[in-house]
Amino acid sequence: MTELVKISIANGVMEILWNRPDKKNALSNAMYRAATAALAQAIEDKSIAAVILGSTGDSFTSGNDLGDFAAAATGGEATAAGGFIEAIAQFPKPLIGAVPGLAVGVGTTMLLHCDLVFVADDAKLTTPFVTLALVPEASSSMLLPARIGYARSFAMFAMGEHLTGKQAAELGMANASMAASEVLGAARSAAAMLAKRPLGAVMATKKLMRDSDTILKQLRAEGAVFAERLRSAEAMEAFTAFHEKRAPDFSKL
Ligand code: COA
């Protein structure tokens, strides 16, 4: 079976690369679990100083696998997204995002938990939760407005507006935007630099900068509403429409 997440460790840096290019790197439960386990390993392994979250192919990720969401909504396997989100929200070492292209849903919200982000100029960052009859997750209802302002965030969440990578860098959601072919290299250079810094001081700085209790409280509040929305008729219509490659019709519900 193809490795859906490529995980490697070299020179004090772990790389977690989404690797499902035929599905634009849509994140399945197995992929979340693999990444969550890798993050736990990165905490335990004292030689690891930083973790890169990146991807193979043109896309970062098209977000949660909508087939998995539909299955979870109808009593199938519960989504493993929550475990991954809690893991990145509490991850104590530097997380570096490398985004070569499309970042949908959790693809964008996970960047809010990264300490450094490098993004392609023409990357497309979207959070179309309301389009799917869902609500924001990963504490993004709090973290995104804090980064880019309320009005712009609401337009992204509720109206499906997107940011380009260039805009994300200008607005402070990313450190820099560049050619897509350069983002992983930029993340690797930053990680190599961080690996030479005193890790205790780096971790203490991250801890001071992130109020993880408040972040966790918000993401759990979102999670409760999200779970309710996931089981709604509106969400089922959105997932079915995606599967059937048609526009959703919420008017009959
Ligand atoms: N879950 C499951 N499969 C997905 C997916 C997702 N989130 N995103 C893309 N795919 C699959 C498509 O079904 C398609 O599979 P197929 O080749 O078997 O038909 C393949 O990936 C390529 O996607 P496609 O839609 O043909 O590419 P595109 O360039 O026209 O559009 C997207 C790309 C990402 C804009 C579009 O696929 C999309 O809107 N996906 C859903 C994104 C989403 O809502 N994510 C959840 C956010 S919470």
Side-chain angles (χ1 to χ4, degrees):
M1 197 180 96
T2 328
E3 216 181 358
L4 296 176
V5 187
K6 285 192 168 180
I7 296 165
S8 59
I9 300 170
N11 304 318
V13 178
M14 174 183 274
E15 291 189 3
I16 299 176
L17 305 184
W18 311 124
N19 182 37
R20 197 188 178 196
D22 58 322
K23 299 288 180 191
K24 309 260 171 195
N25 293 330
L27 300 177
S28 64
N29 288 327
M31 292 165 76
Y32 283 125
R33 278 194 291 268
T36 305
L39 289 170
Q41 184 193 343
I43 294 174
E44 288 302 310
D45 187 336
K46 291 193 172 22
S47 75
I48 295 177
V51 173
I52 294 174
L53 285 176
S55 62
T56 62
D58 300 337
S59 302
F60 181 55
T61 165
S62 58
N64 204 100
D65 186 301
L66 291 177
D68 282 3
F69 264 172
T74 50
E77 188 189 1
T79 172
F84 171 73
I85 287 167
E86 293 227 355
I88 53 173
Q90 300 175 85
F91 191 68
K93 295 177 180 178
L95 267 180
I96 305 174
V99 182
L102 192 67
V104 186
V106 70
T108 289
T109 61
M110 77 173 77
L111 303 178
L112 299 167
H113 299 275
C114 290
D115 305 292
L116 297 170
V117 175
F118 301 96
V119 61
D121 294 314
D122 58 355
K124 193 172 171 188
L125 277 56
T126 77
T127 51
F129 296 111
V130 171
T131 307
L132 293 167
L134 300 171
V135 292
E137 36 68 315
S139 207
S140 60
S141 59
M142 181 179 81
L143 296 174
L144 192 62
R147 294 282 179 94
I148 68 168
Y150 181 95
R152 211 184 282 265
S153 302
F154 189 82
M156 286 185 72
F157 289 139
M159 291 158 71
E161 284 189 7
H162 74 271
L163 291 181
T164 63
K166 195 163 181 294
Q167 287 173 315
E170 284 163 2
L171 291 166
M173 260 195 78
N175 294 75
S177 70
M178 57 199 66
S181 58
E182 291 172 7
V183 293
L184 192 53
R188 285 173 174 157
S189 299
M193 192 176 287
L194 279 171
K196 292 190 191 124
R197 316 287 293 166
L199 182 58
V202 172
M203 289 172 64
T205 298
K206 174 166 179 165
K207 194 167 179 204
L208 286 166
M209 288 178 73
R210 287 191 177 259
D211 181 356
S212 55
D213 288 347
T214 305
I215 291 173
L216 280 179
K217 192 167 162 226
Q218 183 73 7
L219 78 78
R220 286 173 186 162
E222 290 170 347
V225 185
F226 195 97
E228 219 171 83
R229 296 296 322 164
L230 201 55
R231 292 189 298 269
S232 68
E234 288 177 347
M236 192 43 68
E237 165 59 9
F239 304 149
T240 306
F242 178 75
H243 181 66
E244 294 174 355
K245 299 189 187 289
R246 61 170 173 82
D249 177 6
F250 301 113
S251 65
K252 300 187 290 301
L253 304 173

